[in-house]
Amino acid sequence: MAMARSVVAVPARLASSRLPDKVLADIGGQPMIQRVLEQCAKADGPATVVLCTDSQRLQGLAEAWGFPVLMTSEACSSGSERIASVADQLVALAWDEQPDGWDATTREQRLSSTAVINVQGDQPFLDPAVVTAMVAEFSRRDPVPAVVTPVYRLQPDTIHNPAVVKTLLAHDGRALYFSRSAIPHVRDVDPADWHRHSPYWGHVGMYGFRGDVLAGWDQLPASPLEDLERLEQLRLLEAGHTIATFRVEGTSLSVDTAEQLEEARRMAGGA
C-alpha cells in the first residue's frame, strides 16, 4: 500500500546521562529542542511535527511554541521505543482522527499507509530537506520499505572512529549491517588505506518507519547485536526487516557531549 500520510515524531527527555537537560541548552538564543522542532516544521510533506516526551516541562514549552505533544513512559530506553509506544496516536494525528474510533481494519490500513519520521531532539542544525527527501523515498518505492534512513559518504579520517556509525550497503541500497567498526574489512591492506579499496558509508541518525512496523516494535525479539554495538537499528535487521537507504551530502551535528554543545553554540554564533 502506498504511503498516504506522514508525520514527524521528535522523542526527547531531560534525563540524559551524558549531558543532563541538553535539549533545553541555549543555542543561538533558543533551546535546542525548539530549534529541532522548528527545523522539522520547515519540511514538505509531513502533516505535523509532534514532540514525544515524559517531561511535563518539555510538554508545556512545546505546546507554547505551537507543537502537539504526546506523553510517554519514563521507562522508554530509546527514542524508537518512545515513539513506538504512541504509534497509534502519531498516525492518528497524521490523519486528524482519534485512534479509539478505529476498527481493526481501519487501524491496519492507517498504520501501513503512514510514514513516521523519527528525528532526535539533539540535532539543532537538521536540514529540513532531509526530512522532505525521506518522505519522498516512501512515496516512490514499491514495495514500501519497512524503514528508510539516510547515509553519507565518509571521509578517510572518520572511517575508524567508533563514534561514527558505519553502514554496509547492498547493490540496491539496502543496509546489510550497521557497526561502530569500519566495514567492510579489507584484508591484507593497511587500515589507513582501506578507503582506496571501498566506499565507506556513515549513518545519519534519523529513521522513517512504516507505521505498522513501528507499532510492532515491542514485539521484536531481543537483539544480541544491538546490545553489543549499542545500535538500536540492529534489532530491526535481526528481526528480518528491510532497511532502505538514500544518500545525502554529509550529516548534521548531534549534541551528546559538552564539547559538541560548545561546537553547536559556535556554529549558531557564526550563522
Side-chain angles (χ1 to χ4, degrees):
M1 180 180 294
M3 290 290 101
R5 301 289 176 93
S6 61
V7 59
V8 175
V10 180
R13 62 191 179 115
L14 292 180
S16 171
S17 57
R18 284 182 287 187
L19 198 61
D21 293 355
K22 69 176 180 179
V23 297
L24 290 178
D26 183 276
I27 298 177
Q30 283 185 313
M32 177 159 54
I33 189 65
Q34 183 180 5
R35 294 179 68 101
V36 173
L37 292 167
E38 291 182 354
Q39 286 298 99
C40 289
K42 296 175 184 177
D44 293 328
T48 189
V49 178
V50 185
L51 179 69
C52 302
T53 185
D54 58 14
S55 165
Q56 292 184 345
R57 183 181 179 190
L58 290 180
Q59 178 191 23
L61 288 170
E63 289 177 344
W65 298 327
F67 293 96
V69 178
L70 292 174
M71 298 302 292
T72 64
S73 168
E74 294 180 4
C76 296
S77 61
S78 69
S80 294
E81 182 178 339
R82 189 173 302 281
I83 67 171
S85 70
V86 289
D88 280 25
Q89 294 97 310
L90 284 167
V91 170
L93 283 169
W95 289 85
D96 194 22
E97 296 175 347
Q98 294 296 323
D100 54 8
W102 293 341
D103 57 25
T105 300
T106 301
R107 178 178 184 269
E108 180 181 353
Q109 290 174 342
R110 293 292 189 258
L111 289 172
S112 61
S113 61
T114 305
V116 180
I117 312 301
N118 179 6
V119 176
Q120 298 299 320
D122 59 5
Q123 294 182 301
F125 303 104
L126 167 77
D127 183 355
V130 177
V131 177
T132 300
M134 188 176 293
V135 173
E137 287 296 310
F138 275 106
S139 297
R140 77 174 187 83
R141 292 175 182 261
D142 185 17
V144 177
V147 184
V148 174
T149 196
V151 296
Y152 64 102
R153 184 75 175 263
L154 287 175
Q155 297 299 313
D157 61 350
T158 59
I159 291 171
H160 298 284
N161 181 351
V164 177
V165 178
K166 273 70 71 173
T167 313
L168 187 62
L169 301 180
H171 287 300
D172 62 0
R174 284 177 298 114
L176 296 174
Y177 192 66
F178 297 85
S179 182
R180 299 188 183 277
S181 300
I183 48 175
H185 177 97
V186 185
R187 184 177 174 181
D188 299 329
V189 173
D190 186 325
D193 293 325
W194 284 6
H195 66 281
R196 303 181 189 277
H197 297 264
S198 174
Y200 285 81
W201 298 95
H203 177 231
V204 180
M206 291 173 53
Y207 305 92
F209 294 94
R210 208 173 62 220
D212 58 314
V213 174
L214 183 64
W217 181 270
D218 63 353
Q219 302 301 314
L220 296 174
S223 167
L225 292 174
E226 177 191 15
D227 293 340
L228 289 171
E229 297 252 22
R230 296 294 189 268
L231 296 174
E232 60 184 337
Q233 61 269 44
L234 293 176
R235 185 186 305 194
L236 292 158
L237 286 182
E238 278 206 89
H241 285 302
T242 296
I243 300 181
T245 70
F246 66 100
R247 182 175 177 175
V248 296
E249 297 300 324
T251 187
S252 62
L253 174 68
S254 294
V255 178
D256 292 314
T257 65
E259 292 76 16
Q260 289 169 333
L261 177 57
E262 289 307 309
E263 180 182 355
R265 286 170 169 162
R266 287 194 298 271
M267 291 171 63

